[in-house]
Amino acid sequence: MTIPATPVIGAVESVAQAAPVVDAAPSVSVADGATTTPSFAQMLSDGIETVNRNLVEAEAMTRAFALDNTVPVHQVTYALEEARLSLELMMQIRTRAVESYQQIMGMQL
């Protein structure tokens, strides 16, 4: 069974026009007082940088603990767990993004 494309597109356009626009993206202040919304790519890049920073901090704490024991063990454990959880979250986001992309590419128009 095939569905004609024109009525479906018209229905989607009418729903899109009737739906209220919700701006859920955070806005970022710029120096001149204007606000801009960060792009999806920028949000992903910021998240990856945060995960990398957590991993580097955990590694530095682990080295400091192993070499001269100046860092308490609970701080090392906390940093390692935070790094592990942030990496796991990043991997879940990557997996969901890839799955979404595959579903979109599998759609027939």
Side-chain angles (χ1 to χ4, degrees):
M1 175 179 170
T2 60
I3 300 173
T6 308
V8 173
I9 293 173
V12 170
E13 287 175 350
S14 65
V15 170
Q17 290 173 352
V21 176
V22 178
D23 186 19
S27 58
V28 178
S29 296
V30 182
D32 62 358
T35 59
T36 61
T37 304
S39 68
F40 182 71
Q42 183 62 42
M43 289 191 310
L44 281 179
S45 178
D46 291 345
I48 291 170
E49 288 176 16
T50 302
V51 169
N52 187 45
R53 192 174 335 114
N54 287 344
L55 292 170
V56 169
E57 288 175 6
E59 182 181 3
M61 282 188 156
T62 303
R63 279 193 185 155
F65 178 75
L67 293 176
D68 57 6
N69 204 14
T70 58
V71 180
V73 69
H74 69 277
Q75 286 182 352
V76 174
T77 305
Y78 181 79
L80 287 171
E81 188 64 17
E82 183 179 20
R84 184 189 70 79
L85 287 173
S86 64
L87 182 63
E88 186 177 324
L89 176 62
M90 184 184 72
M91 296 302 294
Q92 288 293 325
I93 291 170
R94 180 198 59 92
T95 301
R96 298 244 175 132
V98 169
E99 288 174 357
S100 298
Y101 174 78
Q102 289 172 343
Q103 284 181 349
I104 290 171
M105 289 295 113
M107 288 183 184
Q108 294 181 358
L109 298 178

